[in-house]
Amino acid sequence: MMNLTAAEENYLKAIYHLSDGASKSVSTNDIAAEMKTKPASVSDMLRKLGEKEVINYRKYYGVNITPEGKKLALQTIRKHRLWEVFLVEKLNFAWDEVHEVAEELEHIQSPLLIQRLDAFLNYPKFDPHGDPIPDEFGDVKARPRIPISEMEIDQSGQIVAVKDSSAAFLRYMDKVGAYIGARVKILDKVEFDGSVEILVDQKKSIFMSKDVASNILAVQS
């Protein structure tokens, strides 16, 4: 499997996410917004990725990731999420502190290191934010989950992931006492603005906005 530069891996990972797992085309402007750069810079990178046959790019028609590109993107995502598990479980990082460190570590080019890291962590299936970790073959174990905002009054479930993994949102989660693995029950939903009241672990009541509730994913029970 070919090696990409760190910048190329970052772009490929962004294209994979924007394409919903390689299921649709992505525009240059969307990539520029995601990478916080100018469309002209994106075009130059797309040319390089096209030459390496990890994307197909036609001007005005958007970008499609190739099967080889998808495989490489999932490899980078796998490394990132395994490093996040390591940082939280073994080095006692908080879950809002790991993203930037993992962004650096994900570019280490050593398949053997990642195999041994996976084994050392006892083959985790999900990262600290609840996102699935692709296995060494690129397979991803998905599980049905819905935003808390879509649950009905008196429905119960377990928080399994967050859609927003920004440090600010994760610190908010810590502040209100909502965490991955917490049991929740919908106590009330406000018709006016969609805000919700939830009961956490059968002991703590929390009010949250619809925006917050839509970024917390749960498995119903």
Side-chain angles (χ1 to χ4, degrees), residues 3 11 32 36 52 80 89 99 113 116 134 137 142 157 163 168 178 193 197 204 217-218:
N3 287 332
Y11 267 86
K36 298 179 174 61
K52 294 188 175 183
H80 181 101
E89 291 190 359
H99 181 72
L113 172 63
R116 292 186 176 178
F137 305 107
K163 290 171 67 176
D193 61 0
E197 180 185 6
K204 182 178 182 180
L217 303 176

Side-chain angles (χ1 to χ4, degrees), residues 54-207:
V54 293
I55 64 164
N56 292 316
Y57 172 56
R58 291 174 60 200
K59 197 171 183 180
Y60 307 120
Y61 288 90
V63 178
N64 292 93
I65 195 166
T66 66
E68 178 67 12
K70 180 179 178 180
K71 187 186 302 182
L72 289 166
L74 285 167
Q75 182 185 76
T76 303
I77 292 167
R78 167 176 163 78
K79 290 188 288 183
H80 181 101
R81 293 177 179 172
L82 282 172
W83 283 120
E84 288 193 333
V85 174
F86 175 77
L87 291 166
V88 169
E89 291 190 359
K90 305 301 180 182
L91 298 186
N92 298 317
F93 277 71
W95 68 336
D96 63 290
E97 298 174 326
V98 296
H99 181 72
E100 290 186 0
V101 182
E103 283 280 306
E104 299 291 329
L105 293 169
E106 72 184 27
H107 301 300
I108 296 174
Q109 302 295 337
S110 173
L112 180 59
L113 172 63
I114 299 306
Q115 289 173 9
R116 292 186 176 178
L117 176 65
D118 195 16
F120 177 67
L121 296 171
N122 197 27
Y123 307 102
K125 297 294 186 290
F126 300 94
D127 73 9
H129 310 114
D131 291 317
I133 300 173
D135 66 18
E136 62 182 316
F137 305 107
D139 294 326
V140 180
K141 181 181 179 181
R143 55 184 169 186
R145 54 195 192 175
I146 66 168
I148 286 179
S149 59
E150 295 180 13
M151 293 172 63
E152 301 297 332
I153 295 174
D154 289 332
Q155 283 190 328
S156 298
Q158 183 176 32
I159 297 175
V160 295
V162 290
K163 290 171 67 176
D164 185 343
S165 58
S166 67
F169 185 76
L170 298 178
R171 285 194 292 268
Y172 170 82
M173 292 278 288
D174 286 337
K175 183 176 181 179
V176 301
Y179 60 95
I180 303 295
R183 303 290 307 177
V184 296
K185 180 179 181 180
I186 307 302
L187 298 179
D188 193 20
K189 300 182 76 173
V190 179
E191 182 180 358
F192 174 69
D193 61 0
S195 58
V196 299
E197 180 185 6
I198 66 171
L199 182 67
V200 179
D201 292 334
Q202 298 184 325
K203 59 184 179 182
K204 182 178 182 180
S205 176
I206 299 173
F207 288 91

Side-chain angles (χ1 to χ4, degrees), residues 19-37:
S19 69
D20 289 336
S23 64
K24 65 181 185 181
S25 298
V26 182
S27 73
T28 302
N29 286 339
D30 285 342
I31 298 170
E34 179 72 13
M35 300 303 296
K36 298 179 174 61
T37 189

